[in-house]
Structure formats: C-alpha cells, structure tokens
C-alpha cells in the first residue's frame, strides 16, 4: 500500500494524501474540525473530499469552512476514486450499501470507520484488500480532546508493519488514540462513546437545581460547567485519581459526605452501571445484526 511508504515510517508520503468523508453528519464534522487543528497535517491542504446523499447536507457540512478547500460530491465512488484515506461516517444501517458501492475502487486504500457495530471482518468481507481501522471516537474529537479507541485486524496490528504508528499519527489531532482489541468495542461504545451524554445528564440535573434555587440560567450554567471543568482540570494537572479527590472533598461528618452517602444509599452507582450495561448490550446486538 503506497500510503504506508517504508512500512508506515516514511511520513513524506502523507503530504500528498487525499482525505475523504462519506456521510456528512455530526461525526464527520467533528473529525474534520479535529484534523484541522493540527498545523502539521499538511495533507488537509490537498483538498478534502466529502460525499453525501443530498446537496443540502453537503452545503451544511462545509458551512463555516473555506469552501475552496472542499470537493463535494453526491457520488461515493467518485470520492473513493480521488482519495487514499476514507472516513466512513454513515449510520450503521447505511454502511453496507455504501461499502458495496465503493468496493471495486477501495482496494488498497485506507478506510477509517466510525460506524458503531460494523466489524472489521464485515468490512473485509466486502472489500478484502483494503486497510481498515475501526474506531469509536466521541464528539470531543472536534476540539482535539476526544478519546479515540481503535482496532485493527491482528495481522495489520503487527509492530513491524508500522501501521499502528501511522494510525496514531493520523488520529492524534483528534485527541487520544487508544489501540484496543476489537472485542472491547461495545464496551468503549457504552463508556466513552456514550460518555458525553452521561456527563451532560449530570450537568443538566445540577443546572436545573441551581435554577430552582434562584440562579439565572446563565449563572446556573456557568456555576456548574466551570465547577465540572475545574474538577477535571484539577485531576489532570495534579495527576490525582478521582478516588483521591473524592476522599479529599468529603470530610468525615461534613456536608459533602452527607450528600455522597445519600447517593450511595439510593444506589446511584448501580443505576449508572445498569445504564452502561444496557448500552453495551445494545452495541453487541447491533454488531450481531450488521
Ligand atoms: N454521534 C456520535 O457521538 C457518534 C460517536 C461515535 C460513533 N458514531 C458513529 O458515527 C456514524 C455517524 O453518526 P452521526 O451521528 O454523524 O450521524 P448523522 O449526523 O446522521 O450522519 C450520517 C450522515 O450520513 C449521510 N448518509 C446517509 N446515507 C448515505 C449514503 N448512502 N452516502 C453518503 N452519505 C450518506 C447522511 O445524510 P443525510 O444528511 O442526507 O441524512 C448524514 O449526513 C454512526 O455510524 C455512528 O455509529 C457517532
């Protein structure tokens, strides 16, 4: 594969890499935003191809970007013909039809799939001679702070092939690429893919309570969002674990401890764990149906 010049170690071949997105939706846009953050990724300046099924979606997708940098098409095959690296960003039930459309042109190219439940095996069954990376990014990748678990077929993941390094290099502007075994994809889907939703639900509950206490909407959002931001930053900057910070905040016999004990008594953790297991089960079911 030309893309992998010198076992993936020669990055000069990446300068001429042409990138495309099939499926101009939320995830594709988040990835595009993330990729543009890295000034070194000169390959984005080669022009980015985007394929969708309606002109309206394509126009919405490039809104806010320099339109000159994009080639838009309603033909997925045209995109694949003109690119070496394709991000597959359609919904799970749309993916197989797209793969069938592009299969004859996608051989020897690299496909990075973000499609939940779509296995490496399934993609390889349709396009045997392509390099496939399966990922489960979350939306924070648009600011370069996503967790990007990714999996490759065992054979491609051999250290001597340099493919892992290359994938790391490509995904790193999006945040934190993390190689995992494919069996863990449903688990990371339930944990970090859905994770921003769990965090938002916690924030919403706190914001609503702040409003009920009489804070304005703006004040309530600032109070809660900045508190959450400061907490995570504290963990990161002081290299503390949440276990340590929790024990520091809840002084024995104090106000926080009373609230924490109430949450524990009411089974707060059990509810969250059940929600994660529900998501994990759904992700596994999706995998078995695709
Ligand atoms: N959103 C997340 O947080 C998240 C996280 C991790 C992974 N994912 C995965 O990312 C994928 C996309 O999710 P999303 O939230 O970005 O969905 P989305 O916003 O609905 O985007 C899907 C896009 O694909 C387009 N499309 C549908 N069929 C097509 C076809 N045949 N050819 C070309 N384009 C086609 C849709 O076009 P229209 O605009 O015309 O409908 C839409 O623009 C899913 O597989 C999901 O599992 C999402």
């Amino acid at each position: 594969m030309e893309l992998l010049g010198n076992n993936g170690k020669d990055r000069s071949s990446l300068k001429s890499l042409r990138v495309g997105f099939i499926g101009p939706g939320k995830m594709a846009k988040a990835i595009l935003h993330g990729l543009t953050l890295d000034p070194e990724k000169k390959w984005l300046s080669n022009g980015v191809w985007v394929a969708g099924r309606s002109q309206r979606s394509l126009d919405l997708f490039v809104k806010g970007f320099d339109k000159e940098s994009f080639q838009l098409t309603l033909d997925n095959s045209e995109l694949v013909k003109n690119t070496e690296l394709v991000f597959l960003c359609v919904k799970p039930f749309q993916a197989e039809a797209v793969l069938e459309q592009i299969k004859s042109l996608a051989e020897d190219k690299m496909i990075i799939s973000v499609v939940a439940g779509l296995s490496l095996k399934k993609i390889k069954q349709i396009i045997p001679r392509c390099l496939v990376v399966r990922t489960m990014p979350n939306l924070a990748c648009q600011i370069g702070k996503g967790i990007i678990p990714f999996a490759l077929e065992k054979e491609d993941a051999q250290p001597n092939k340099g493919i892992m390094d290359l994938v790391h290099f490509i995904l790193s502007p999006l945040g934190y690429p993390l190689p995992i075994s494919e069996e863990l994809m449903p688990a990371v889907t339930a944990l970090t893919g859905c994770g921003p939703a769990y965090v938002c639900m916690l924030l919403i509950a706190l914001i609503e309570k702040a409003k009920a206490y009489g804070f304005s909407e703006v004040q309530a959002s600032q109070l809660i969002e900045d508190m959450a931001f400061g907490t995570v930053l504290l963990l990161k900057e002081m290299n503390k674990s949440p276990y340590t910070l929790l024990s520091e905040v809840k002084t024995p016999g104090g106000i926080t401890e009373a609230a924490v004990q109430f949450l524990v008594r009411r089974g707060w953790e059990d509810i969250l764990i059940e929600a994660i297991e529900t998501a994990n089960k759904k992700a596994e079911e999706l995998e078995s149906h695709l």
Side-chain angles (χ1 to χ4, degrees):
M1 185 174 287
E2 225 174 281
L3 176 66
L4 299 177
N6 186 21
N7 258 354
K9 291 188 179 72
D10 177 9
R11 303 276 184 251
S12 63
S13 58
L14 289 177
K15 290 219 169 87
S16 55
L17 186 75
R18 293 166 305 166
V19 181
F21 292 87
I22 299 184
K26 292 181 283 300
M27 193 33 81
K29 195 149 186 170
I31 293 173
L32 178 64
H33 268 290
L35 291 179
T36 58
L37 292 176
D38 187 348
E40 275 181 45
K41 300 292 184 291
K42 298 271 184 275
W43 32 275
L44 279 181
S45 61
N46 297 329
V48 175
W49 279 79
V50 189
R53 60 180 176 178
S54 78
Q55 192 58 44
R56 190 172 168 275
S57 299
L58 290 170
D59 291 340
L60 271 176
F61 186 79
V62 294
K63 209 171 162 196
F65 288 102
D66 173 13
K67 284 195 185 118
E68 303 287 297
S69 315
F70 291 90
Q71 301 280 349
L72 306 181
T73 177
L74 296 171
D75 178 355
N76 295 330
S77 302
E78 190 189 12
L79 177 143
V80 176
K81 212 184 299 172
N82 286 289
T83 52
E84 289 82 29
L85 167 58
V86 177
F87 284 93
L88 182 65
C89 302
V90 294
K91 292 271 194 207
F93 62 90
Q94 300 158 336
E96 188 170 345
V98 171
L99 291 171
E100 286 292 343
Q101 272 174 358
I102 63 171
K103 65 180 177 189
S104 61
L105 295 156
E107 296 210 338
D108 285 335
K109 307 221 166 169
M110 184 172 187
I111 296 180
I112 300 188
S113 167
V114 304
V115 179
L118 184 66
S119 67
L120 293 165
K121 190 170 160 211
K122 180 80 193 180
I123 300 177
K124 285 280 201 165
Q125 262 168 10
I126 302 175
I127 313 172
R129 268 175 46 87
C130 69
L131 175 58
V132 192
V133 182
R134 180 174 172 191
T135 64
M136 181 42 64
N138 59 27
L139 286 174
C141 66
Q142 62 197 293
I143 54 159
K145 299 287 180 212
I147 289 287
I148 332 284
F150 69 91
L152 294 158
E153 284 203 317
K154 271 203 186 78
E155 193 195 295
D156 290 332
Q158 301 294 318
N160 61 335
K161 285 199 164 182
I163 297 177
M164 294 298 267
D165 291 349
L166 178 73
V167 174
H168 239 273
F169 180 77
I170 290 172
L171 295 178
S172 56
L174 307 179
Y176 315 100
L178 182 73
I180 62 167
S181 108
E182 190 181 16
E183 296 85 74
L184 289 173
M185 274 294 166
V188 288
T189 305
L191 289 165
T192 59
C194 306
Y198 310 142
V199 174
C200 286
M201 285 184 76
L202 176 65
L203 298 185
I204 288 168
L206 292 169
I207 289 170
E208 287 303 315
K209 194 62 196 163
K211 283 180 358 196
Y213 278 135
F215 290 100
S216 71
E217 186 144 4
V218 173
Q219 285 173 328
S221 297
Q222 186 174 1
L223 269 177
I224 302 307
E225 287 170 23
D226 286 351
M227 176 277 296
F229 183 64
T231 305
V232 176
L233 214 58
L234 182 62
L235 292 175
K236 289 281 175 202
E237 292 200 354
M238 303 295 284
N239 203 17
K240 268 181 208 264
S241 79
Y243 304 93
T244 308
L245 185 57
L246 178 60
S247 69
E248 285 174 5
V249 185
K250 63 176 181 107
T251 317
I255 296 167
T256 310
E257 195 188 47
V260 168
Q261 278 180 353
F262 180 84
L263 286 170
V264 171
R265 267 200 314 275
R266 293 292 284 262
W268 175 81
E269 220 177 78
D270 296 343
I271 292 176
L272 187 60
I273 284 170
E274 246 180 83
I276 294 165
E277 281 170 0
T278 305
N280 182 46
K281 194 160 161 248
K282 193 160 168 107
E284 281 177 347
E285 277 167 15
L286 183 63
E287 188 130 351
S288 65
H289 282 106
L290 285 182

